[in-house]
Tab-separated table of all heavy atoms in Angstrom:
chain	number	residue	atom	x	y	z
A	1	VAL	N	0.833	-1.211	0.000
A	1	VAL	CA	0.000	0.000	0.000
A	1	VAL	C	0.864	1.256	0.000
A	1	VAL	O	0.733	2.115	-0.866
A	1	VAL	CB	-0.977	0.029	1.196
A	1	VAL	CG1	-1.854	1.283	1.148
A	1	VAL	CG2	-1.850	-1.216	1.202
A	2	VAL	N	1.743	1.403	1.003
A	2	VAL	CA	2.663	2.536	1.074
A	2	VAL	C	4.032	2.103	0.550
A	2	VAL	O	4.282	0.917	0.333
A	2	VAL	CB	2.786	3.064	2.519
A	2	VAL	CG1	1.466	3.630	2.994
A	2	VAL	CG2	3.250	1.965	3.464
A	3	GLY	N	4.931	3.068	0.358
A	3	GLY	CA	6.251	2.763	-0.169
A	3	GLY	C	7.154	2.088	0.858
A	3	GLY	O	6.862	2.066	2.057
A	4	GLU	N	8.271	1.567	0.389
A	4	GLU	CA	9.197	0.837	1.260
A	4	GLU	C	9.704	1.700	2.403
A	4	GLU	O	9.774	1.269	3.558
A	4	GLU	CB	10.381	0.309	0.437
A	4	GLU	CG	11.389	-0.478	1.260
A	4	GLU	CD	12.574	-0.940	0.437
A	4	GLU	OE1	12.549	-0.768	-0.804
A	4	GLU	OE2	13.542	-1.475	1.025
A	5	GLY	N	10.063	2.941	2.085
A	5	GLY	CA	10.563	3.824	3.130
A	5	GLY	C	9.504	4.115	4.188
A	5	GLY	O	9.808	4.177	5.384
A	6	LYS	N	8.253	4.273	3.750
A	6	LYS	CA	7.171	4.547	4.701
A	6	LYS	C	6.880	3.312	5.560
A	6	LYS	O	6.531	3.447	6.740
A	6	LYS	CB	5.920	4.994	3.951
A	6	LYS	CG	4.789	5.465	4.841
A	6	LYS	CD	5.178	6.676	5.683
A	6	LYS	CE	5.382	7.914	4.854
A	6	LYS	NZ	5.551	9.139	5.672
A	7	VAL	N	7.038	2.130	4.985
A	7	VAL	CA	6.864	0.907	5.777
A	7	VAL	C	7.884	0.871	6.906
A	7	VAL	O	7.563	0.541	8.056
A	7	VAL	CB	6.994	-0.355	4.902
A	7	VAL	CG1	6.985	-1.616	5.776
A	7	VAL	CG2	5.863	-0.436	3.901
A	8	GLN	N	9.129	1.245	6.592
A	8	GLN	CA	10.167	1.284	7.618
A	8	GLN	C	9.851	2.330	8.680
A	8	GLN	O	10.064	2.111	9.879
A	8	GLN	CB	11.529	1.581	6.970
A	8	GLN	CG	12.073	0.444	6.127
A	8	GLN	CD	12.320	-0.806	6.953
A	8	GLN	OE1	12.871	-0.750	8.054
A	8	GLN	NE2	11.903	-1.949	6.437
A	9	GLU	N	9.317	3.469	8.236
A	9	GLU	CA	8.942	4.510	9.198
A	9	GLU	C	7.821	4.024	10.116
A	9	GLU	O	7.833	4.258	11.328
A	9	GLU	CB	8.499	5.772	8.467
A	9	GLU	CG	8.097	6.901	9.417
A	9	GLU	CD	7.481	8.078	8.693
A	9	GLU	OE1	7.841	8.300	7.522
A	9	GLU	OE2	6.640	8.763	9.288
A	10	ILE	N	6.838	3.336	9.529
A	10	ILE	CA	5.744	2.784	10.334
A	10	ILE	C	6.270	1.786	11.343
A	10	ILE	O	5.883	1.794	12.518
A	10	ILE	CB	4.686	2.135	9.416
A	10	ILE	CG1	3.993	3.195	8.555
A	10	ILE	CG2	3.648	1.365	10.233
A	10	ILE	CD1	3.149	2.621	7.439
A	11	ALA	N	7.176	0.903	10.880
A	11	ALA	CA	7.747	-0.096	11.786
A	11	ALA	C	8.508	0.563	12.927
A	11	ALA	O	8.391	0.166	14.095
A	11	ALA	CB	8.669	-1.033	11.006
A	12	LEU	N	9.278	1.599	12.596
A	12	LEU	CA	10.053	2.303	13.612
A	12	LEU	C	9.126	3.027	14.596
A	12	LEU	O	9.336	2.977	15.814
A	12	LEU	CB	11.001	3.303	12.942
A	12	LEU	CG	11.835	4.184	13.871
A	12	LEU	CD1	12.696	3.335	14.790
A	12	LEU	CD2	12.705	5.138	13.059
A	13	THR	N	8.096	3.678	14.071
A	13	THR	CA	7.161	4.395	14.936
A	13	THR	C	6.417	3.425	15.849
A	13	THR	O	6.234	3.694	17.045
A	13	THR	CB	6.158	5.198	14.090
A	13	THR	OG1	6.874	6.057	13.206
A	13	THR	CG2	5.252	6.037	14.969
A	14	ALA	N	5.983	2.292	15.283
A	14	ALA	CA	5.289	1.288	16.094
A	14	ALA	C	6.191	0.764	17.202
A	14	ALA	O	5.757	0.579	18.347
A	14	ALA	CB	4.805	0.141	15.206
A	15	GLN	N	7.460	0.546	16.870
A	15	GLN	CA	8.414	0.045	17.867
A	15	GLN	C	8.678	1.105	18.928
A	15	GLN	O	8.704	0.824	20.139
A	15	GLN	CB	9.715	-0.339	17.159
A	15	GLN	CG	10.757	-0.951	18.058
A	15	GLN	CD	10.364	-2.355	18.487
A	15	GLN	OE1	9.752	-2.535	19.524
A	15	GLN	NE2	10.720	-3.338	17.694
A	16	THR	N	8.867	2.344	18.485
A	16	THR	CA	9.182	3.421	19.411
A	16	THR	C	8.039	3.698	20.389
A	16	THR	O	8.264	3.902	21.582
A	16	THR	CB	9.506	4.712	18.624
A	16	THR	OG1	10.597	4.459	17.742
A	16	THR	CG2	9.886	5.843	19.567
A	17	LEU	N	6.811	3.682	19.880
A	17	LEU	CA	5.655	4.010	20.710
A	17	LEU	C	5.079	2.798	21.434
A	17	LEU	O	4.182	2.949	22.264
A	17	LEU	CB	4.557	4.647	19.842
A	17	LEU	CG	4.914	5.955	19.133
A	17	LEU	CD1	3.737	6.448	18.301
A	17	LEU	CD2	5.332	7.021	20.137
A	18	GLY	N	5.572	1.606	21.109
A	18	GLY	CA	5.034	0.406	21.740
A	18	GLY	C	3.644	0.066	21.243
A	18	GLY	O	2.803	-0.431	21.996
A	19	ALA	N	3.369	0.320	19.946
A	19	ALA	CA	2.055	0.011	19.378
A	19	ALA	C	1.862	-1.498	19.278
A	19	ALA	O	2.797	-2.237	18.968
A	19	ALA	CB	1.913	0.653	17.995
A	20	SER	N	0.627	-1.943	19.545
A	20	SER	CA	0.301	-3.367	19.425
A	20	SER	C	-0.557	-3.646	18.204
A	20	SER	O	-0.826	-4.808	17.895
A	20	SER	CB	-0.439	-3.844	20.680
A	20	SER	OG	-1.626	-3.077	20.881
A	21	LEU	N	-0.998	-2.599	17.506
A	21	LEU	CA	-1.868	-2.771	16.347
A	21	LEU	C	-1.669	-1.608	15.389
A	21	LEU	O	-1.561	-0.461	15.807
A	21	LEU	CB	-3.339	-2.829	16.800
A	21	LEU	CG	-4.395	-3.027	15.716
A	21	LEU	CD1	-4.291	-4.414	15.112
A	21	LEU	CD2	-5.796	-2.803	16.288
A	22	VAL	N	-1.645	-1.919	14.089
A	22	VAL	CA	-1.570	-0.903	13.037
A	22	VAL	C	-2.856	-0.993	12.224
A	22	VAL	O	-3.233	-2.073	11.755
A	22	VAL	CB	-0.342	-1.117	12.131
A	22	VAL	CG1	-0.383	-0.164	10.940
A	22	VAL	CG2	0.946	-0.912	12.927
A	23	VAL	N	-3.552	0.156	12.067
A	23	VAL	CA	-4.839	0.182	11.371
A	23	VAL	C	-4.720	1.081	10.141
A	23	VAL	O	-4.366	2.257	10.258
A	23	VAL	CB	-5.965	0.692	12.286
A	23	VAL	CG1	-7.280	0.740	11.514
A	23	VAL	CG2	-6.109	-0.194	13.513
A	24	PHE	N	-5.036	0.528	8.962
A	24	PHE	CA	-5.021	1.290	7.709
A	24	PHE	C	-6.423	1.800	7.404
A	24	PHE	O	-7.417	1.085	7.594
A	24	PHE	CB	-4.539	0.412	6.555
A	24	PHE	CG	-3.041	0.346	6.416
A	24	PHE	CD1	-2.288	-0.393	7.306
A	24	PHE	CD2	-2.393	1.038	5.406
A	24	PHE	CE1	-0.907	-0.455	7.193
A	24	PHE	CE2	-1.015	0.983	5.282
A	24	PHE	CZ	-0.264	0.241	6.167
A	25	ASP	N	-6.499	3.033	6.897
A	25	ASP	CA	-7.786	3.648	6.579
A	25	ASP	C	-8.229	3.267	5.164
A	25	ASP	O	-8.559	4.120	4.345
A	25	ASP	CB	-7.697	5.167	6.710
A	25	ASP	CG	-9.075	5.824	6.545
A	25	ASP	OD1	-10.071	5.157	6.849
A	25	ASP	OD2	-9.131	6.985	6.104
A	26	ARG	N	-8.180	2.004	4.847
A	26	ARG	CA	-8.651	1.481	3.568
A	26	ARG	C	-8.635	-0.035	3.646
A	26	ARG	O	-8.014	-0.606	4.536
A	26	ARG	CB	-7.796	1.954	2.394
A	26	ARG	CG	-6.354	1.570	2.444
A	26	ARG	CD	-5.629	2.052	1.202
A	26	ARG	NE	-5.769	3.476	0.980
A	26	ARG	CZ	-6.446	3.996	-0.044
A	26	ARG	NH1	-7.060	3.202	-0.901
A	26	ARG	NH2	-6.535	5.299	-0.197
A	27	ASP	N	-9.320	-0.676	2.735
A	27	ASP	CA	-9.322	-2.134	2.740
A	27	ASP	C	-7.991	-2.662	2.234
A	27	ASP	O	-7.405	-2.118	1.282
A	27	ASP	CB	-10.458	-2.672	1.854
A	27	ASP	CG	-11.815	-2.554	2.530
A	27	ASP	OD1	-11.831	-2.350	3.763
A	27	ASP	OD2	-12.840	-2.658	1.846
A	28	LEU	N	-7.510	-3.723	2.862
A	28	LEU	CA	-6.244	-4.353	2.500
A	28	LEU	C	-6.498	-5.751	1.962
A	28	LEU	O	-7.397	-6.454	2.439
A	28	LEU	CB	-5.326	-4.449	3.717
A	28	LEU	CG	-4.962	-3.145	4.440
A	28	LEU	CD1	-4.147	-3.450	5.689
A	28	LEU	CD2	-4.200	-2.203	3.521
A	29	SER	N	-5.700	-6.156	0.992
A	29	SER	CA	-5.793	-7.525	0.497
A	29	SER	C	-5.050	-8.450	1.460
A	29	SER	O	-4.199	-8.004	2.237
A	29	SER	CB	-5.171	-7.624	-0.898
A	29	SER	OG	-3.753	-7.478	-0.817
């Protein structure tokens, strides 16, 4: 859905904030 760099940013943000769930505002395959 998003680019490779943004995926890494999401992973880093989730790790930094201690997120347990990532929710996308659109349907995913």
Side-chain angles (χ1 to χ4, degrees):
V1 181
V2 295
E4 181 182 353
K6 187 61 68 171
V7 173
Q8 290 298 316
E9 180 188 331
I10 294 168
L12 177 58
T13 305
Q15 184 71 267
T16 302
L17 299 179
S20 58
L21 181 68
V22 173
V23 178
F24 275 74
D25 187 27
R26 60 178 55 247
D27 284 344
L28 302 175
S29 70

